[in-house]
PDB file of all heavy atoms in Angstrom:
ATOM      1  N   ASN A 206      75.364 100.781  94.528  1.00 88.00           N
ATOM      2  CA  ASN A 206      74.285  99.800  94.312  1.00 88.00           C
ATOM      3  C   ASN A 206      73.126 100.437  95.086  1.00 88.00           C
ATOM      4  O   ASN A 206      73.143 100.576  96.250  1.00 88.00           O
ATOM      5  CB  ASN A 206      74.673  98.491  94.806  1.00 88.00           C
ATOM      6  CG  ASN A 206      75.872  97.871  94.108  1.00 88.00           C
ATOM      7  OD1 ASN A 206      75.989  97.923  92.902  1.00 88.00           O
ATOM      8  ND2 ASN A 206      76.727  97.222  94.949  1.00 88.00           N
ATOM      9  N   TRP A 207      71.926 100.667  94.292  1.00 86.00           N
ATOM     10  CA  TRP A 207      70.836 101.198  95.038  1.00 86.00           C
ATOM     11  C   TRP A 207      69.690 100.322  94.780  1.00 86.00           C
ATOM     12  O   TRP A 207      69.361  99.813  93.753  1.00 86.00           O
ATOM     13  CB  TRP A 207      70.451 102.507  94.199  1.00 86.00           C
ATOM     14  CG  TRP A 207      69.284 103.189  94.797  1.00 86.00           C
ATOM     15  CD1 TRP A 207      68.110 103.430  94.218  1.00 86.00           C
ATOM     16  CD2 TRP A 207      69.310 104.107  96.019  1.00 86.00           C
ATOM     17  NE1 TRP A 207      67.283 104.238  94.999  1.00 86.00           N
ATOM     18  CE2 TRP A 207      68.025 104.641  96.138  1.00 86.00           C
ATOM     19  CE3 TRP A 207      70.225 104.303  97.016  1.00 86.00           C
ATOM     20  CZ2 TRP A 207      67.614 105.433  97.139  1.00 86.00           C
ATOM     21  CZ3 TRP A 207      69.890 105.123  97.973  1.00 86.00           C
ATOM     22  CH2 TRP A 207      68.533 105.616  98.075  1.00 86.00           C
ATOM     23  N   LEU A 215      73.389  99.383  98.794  1.00 80.00           N
ATOM     24  CA  LEU A 215      73.717  97.941  99.007  1.00 80.00           C
ATOM     25  C   LEU A 215      75.286  97.827  98.912  1.00 80.00           C
ATOM     26  O   LEU A 215      75.772  98.302  97.905  1.00 80.00           O
ATOM     27  CB  LEU A 215      73.074  96.948  98.238  1.00 80.00           C
ATOM     28  CG  LEU A 215      71.477  97.091  98.241  1.00 80.00           C
ATOM     29  CD1 LEU A 215      70.859  96.133  97.302  1.00 80.00           C
ATOM     30  CD2 LEU A 215      70.990  96.651  99.752  1.00 80.00           C
ATOM     31  N   VAL A 220      74.063  92.116  97.029  1.00 83.00           N
ATOM     32  CA  VAL A 220      73.449  91.867  95.547  1.00 83.00           C
ATOM     33  C   VAL A 220      73.657  90.436  95.189  1.00 83.00           C
ATOM     34  O   VAL A 220      74.851  90.038  95.063  1.00 83.00           O
ATOM     35  CB  VAL A 220      74.041  92.880  94.608  1.00 83.00           C
ATOM     36  CG1 VAL A 220      73.539  92.680  93.252  1.00 83.00           C
ATOM     37  CG2 VAL A 220      74.113  94.315  95.067  1.00 83.00           C
ATOM     38  N   GLY A 224      71.569  90.109  90.126  1.00 88.00           N
ATOM     39  CA  GLY A 224      71.438  91.477  90.332  1.00 88.00           C
ATOM     40  C   GLY A 224      70.373  92.101  90.990  1.00 88.00           C
ATOM     41  O   GLY A 224      70.000  93.223  90.930  1.00 88.00           O
ATOM     42  N   CYS A 225      69.916  91.287  92.071  1.00 90.00           N
ATOM     43  CA  CYS A 225      68.737  91.717  92.768  1.00 90.00           C
ATOM     44  C   CYS A 225      69.197  91.953  94.376  1.00 90.00           C
ATOM     45  O   CYS A 225      70.139  91.195  94.777  1.00 90.00           O
ATOM     46  CB  CYS A 225      67.667  90.670  92.819  1.00 90.00           C
ATOM     47  SG  CYS A 225      66.955  90.543  91.193  1.00 90.00           S
ATOM     48  N   SER A 226      68.481  92.766  94.995  1.00 85.00           N
ATOM     49  CA  SER A 226      68.680  92.972  96.468  1.00 85.00           C
ATOM     50  C   SER A 226      68.463  91.630  97.220  1.00 85.00           C
ATOM     51  O   SER A 226      67.472  90.941  97.025  1.00 85.00           O
ATOM     52  CB  SER A 226      67.841  94.239  96.926  1.00 85.00           C
ATOM     53  OG  SER A 226      67.915  94.119  98.400  1.00 85.00           O
ATOM     54  N   ALA A 231      64.287  93.478  94.830  1.00 88.00           N
ATOM     55  CA  ALA A 231      64.260  94.391  93.780  1.00 88.00           C
ATOM     56  C   ALA A 231      65.499  94.351  92.795  1.00 88.00           C
ATOM     57  O   ALA A 231      66.567  94.060  93.351  1.00 88.00           O
ATOM     58  CB  ALA A 231      64.000  95.844  94.300  1.00 88.00           C
ATOM     59  N   ARG A 232      65.353  94.715  91.594  1.00 92.00           N
ATOM     60  CA  ARG A 232      66.416  94.824  90.627  1.00 92.00           C
ATOM     61  C   ARG A 232      67.265  95.913  91.070  1.00 92.00           C
ATOM     62  O   ARG A 232      66.792  97.087  91.166  1.00 92.00           O
ATOM     63  CB  ARG A 232      66.024  94.895  89.228  1.00 92.00           C
ATOM     64  CG  ARG A 232      67.096  95.256  88.267  1.00 92.00           C
ATOM     65  CD  ARG A 232      67.908  94.042  87.966  1.00 92.00           C
ATOM     66  NE  ARG A 232      67.266  92.996  87.361  1.00 92.00           N
ATOM     67  CZ  ARG A 232      67.834  91.769  87.002  1.00 92.00           C
ATOM     68  NH1 ARG A 232      69.156  91.724  87.049  1.00 92.00           N
ATOM     69  NH2 ARG A 232      67.098  90.878  86.376  1.00 92.00           N
ATOM     70  N   VAL A 233      68.646  95.716  91.438  1.00 91.00           N
ATOM     71  CA  VAL A 233      69.446  96.698  91.913  1.00 91.00           C
ATOM     72  C   VAL A 233      69.867  97.693  90.683  1.00 91.00           C
ATOM     73  O   VAL A 233      70.052  97.299  89.585  1.00 91.00           O
ATOM     74  CB  VAL A 233      70.748  96.267  92.467  1.00 91.00           C
ATOM     75  CG1 VAL A 233      71.774  97.231  92.844  1.00 91.00           C
ATOM     76  CG2 VAL A 233      70.416  95.285  93.711  1.00 91.00           C
ATOM     77  N   GLU A 234      69.810  98.995  90.991  1.00 90.00           N
ATOM     78  CA  GLU A 234      70.203 100.003  90.106  1.00 90.00           C
ATOM     79  C   GLU A 234      71.460 100.633  90.465  1.00 90.00           C
ATOM     80  O   GLU A 234      72.019 100.551  91.678  1.00 90.00           O
ATOM     81  CB  GLU A 234      69.152 101.125  90.173  1.00 90.00           C
ATOM     82  CG  GLU A 234      67.676 100.668  89.768  1.00 90.00           C
ATOM     83  CD  GLU A 234      66.729 101.806  89.965  1.00 90.00           C
ATOM     84  OE1 GLU A 234      67.060 102.864  90.499  1.00 90.00           O
ATOM     85  OE2 GLU A 234      65.423 101.562  89.654  1.00 90.00           O
TER      86      GLU A 234
END
Side-chain angles (χ1 to χ4, degrees):
N206 299 315
W207 181 256
L215 301 175
V220 181
C225 296
S226 168
R232 174 70 64 177
V233 173
E234 300 172 356

